[in-house]
Amino acid sequence: MTNRVLIRCKILQIAFSAYIDKDKGVEQAEAEYAYSMQKTYDLYILLLLLILKITDEQKERIERLRTRYINPVADKDIDKRLANNRFAAQLAGNKMLMSYLAKHSDINDVLTPALVKSLLDKIIAGDTYGFYVSSENDDYETDKSFWKKTVKEWACETEIDEALEESSLYWNNDIDIIVTFIIKTIKGFSEASGVEQPIISSFDAEAGAEFPGNLLRDTILNFDASTRLIGECASNWETERIANMDFVIMSMALTEIKMFPSIPINVTLSEYIELAKLYSTEKSATFINGILDTLVKKLKKEGRLTKE
């Protein structure tokens, strides 16, 4: 479940901070997590808004071409497909999106005119746009497909990354996963739904409120117990020599394995190996995989773990 991937990433960041700063209690960590998730949801809204901003910029460019004093361009010579994109028009009237933006108008400040213009230039110069405007299919699904492909390219867009980093520390490393949420949202849109089309309302709500709260709290409260257990399974390592990030990743995985019987062990192990690759190193991933595998076998043998 993609939203659990996001939640694990956020909890790892907060748990690591709590492990380093021993004075940070559970309540403070929970408050920080809630704020972090809110900022991440803001990023989701921000990228949806970026679609609208780029579309509006294209409309303004067309209007300038039509009305310029010297050599105005005739309507028949202007390509209006992007400006008239049906999906973007539907999104512009979306009730959930407009309601959120009305309450959080400061989100607009991140998308500067210079950024929007630069991104539009890159879109128009790209292959995705070229295929789009030359396609014989001129319908809602083609319009929607164009934005799915375009948003996917944003995951590698340095200019967006830099703008996000300047605006909020909580958006570091979030762009990749939020792009997947935007694509999921676009795929779910139906022309028949009009302005009533739902968008994601929050990330915690989708995963189930108990998962993030219990995972964060129990990971922090059980750091000492995890230290002892990991130490027993890392026979060739002194626990002091284990990198802090590696230890927190293993502590989280151990907590999830013990506390959430509905999540298969292989799913948990796979997710935390990926977290190790993202936040630590390839060697750490191999090391963590070996320790967690030993931990699971030990817990099963002692009858402290019954799930498969």
Side-chain angles (χ1 to χ4, degrees), residues 176-221:
D176 287 358
I177 195 165
I178 297 305
V179 160
T180 68
F181 279 110
I182 299 295
I183 293 172
K184 175 183 175 182
T185 297
I186 295 173
K187 285 180 178 178
F189 260 60
S190 163
E191 190 172 19
S193 298
V195 297
E196 303 292 342
Q197 174 71 45
I199 61 174
I200 296 172
S201 59
S202 76
F203 298 130
D204 274 355
E206 284 202 337
E210 289 187 1
F211 176 74
N214 291 342
L215 181 59
L216 176 61
R217 182 172 54 255
D218 290 334
T219 296
I220 294 173
L221 291 177

Side-chain angles (χ1 to χ4, degrees), residues 46-250:
L46 187 76
L47 293 186
L48 288 176
L49 178 60
L50 184 54
I51 293 173
L52 304 184
K53 293 277 190 179
I54 288 173
T55 304
D56 287 344
E57 173 61 23
Q58 178 69 348
K59 290 178 181 178
E60 290 177 14
R61 288 187 181 187
I62 288 174
E63 188 60 22
R64 288 194 293 271
L65 286 173
R66 289 178 61 253
T67 60
R68 65 187 183 184
Y69 183 72
I70 300 174
N71 297 326
V73 180
D75 279 0
K76 65 182 181 66
D77 297 322
I78 298 174
D79 193 312
K80 301 175 184 173
R81 288 196 69 169
L82 178 54
N84 295 335
N85 186 280
R86 299 168 184 84
F87 165 75
Q90 181 185 9
L91 184 65
N94 185 273
K95 286 188 175 181
M96 286 181 67
L97 177 60
M98 292 303 109
S99 175
Y100 192 86
L101 288 172
K103 298 173 184 175
H104 303 82
S105 57
D106 56 316
I107 290 177
N108 283 281
D109 298 339
V110 180
L111 303 177
T112 64
L115 174 63
V116 173
K117 290 174 183 177
S118 177
L119 291 175
L120 177 56
D121 287 340
K122 290 179 180 178
I123 288 172
I124 291 175
D127 291 339
T128 299
Y129 180 81
F131 290 132
Y132 172 56
V133 296
S134 62
S135 172
E136 295 181 0
N137 298 321
D138 185 8
D139 52 28
Y140 176 81
E141 289 302 321
T142 303
D143 287 349
K144 201 167 78 162
S145 177
F146 164 75
W147 276 114
K148 278 191 295 185
K149 294 174 182 176
T150 299
V151 169
K152 188 174 182 180
E153 294 168 2
W154 288 352
C156 303
E157 179 50 64
T158 305
E159 202 167 358
I160 295 178
D161 229 11
E162 290 174 350
L164 296 179
E165 286 184 11
E166 289 178 7
S167 298
S168 175
L169 290 174
Y170 288 94
W171 289 341
N172 289 349
N173 303 315
D174 277 357
I175 184 71
D176 287 358
I177 195 165
I178 297 305
V179 160
T180 68
F181 279 110
I182 299 295
I183 293 172
K184 175 183 175 182
T185 297
I186 295 173
K187 285 180 178 178
F189 260 60
S190 163
E191 190 172 19
S193 298
V195 297
E196 303 292 342
Q197 174 71 45
I199 61 174
I200 296 172
S201 59
S202 76
F203 298 130
D204 274 355
E206 284 202 337
E210 289 187 1
F211 176 74
N214 291 342
L215 181 59
L216 176 61
R217 182 172 54 255
D218 290 334
T219 296
I220 294 173
L221 291 177
N222 290 309
F223 274 146
D224 289 342
S226 297
T227 299
R228 290 191 295 271
L229 193 53
I230 291 169
E232 292 172 11
C233 296
S235 56
N236 296 326
W237 288 78
E238 297 176 7
T239 53
E240 292 80 4
R241 292 178 57 206
I242 298 175
N244 290 332
M245 179 58 76
D246 293 356
F247 172 77
V248 176
I249 290 172
M250 288 188 284

Side-chain angles (χ1 to χ4, degrees), residues 243 245-246 249 275-285 288:
M245 179 58 76
D246 293 356
I249 290 172
L275 279 179
K277 293 176 182 177
L278 180 62
Y279 288 97
S280 199
T281 66
E282 286 286 345
K283 286 187 176 181
S284 290
I288 289 170

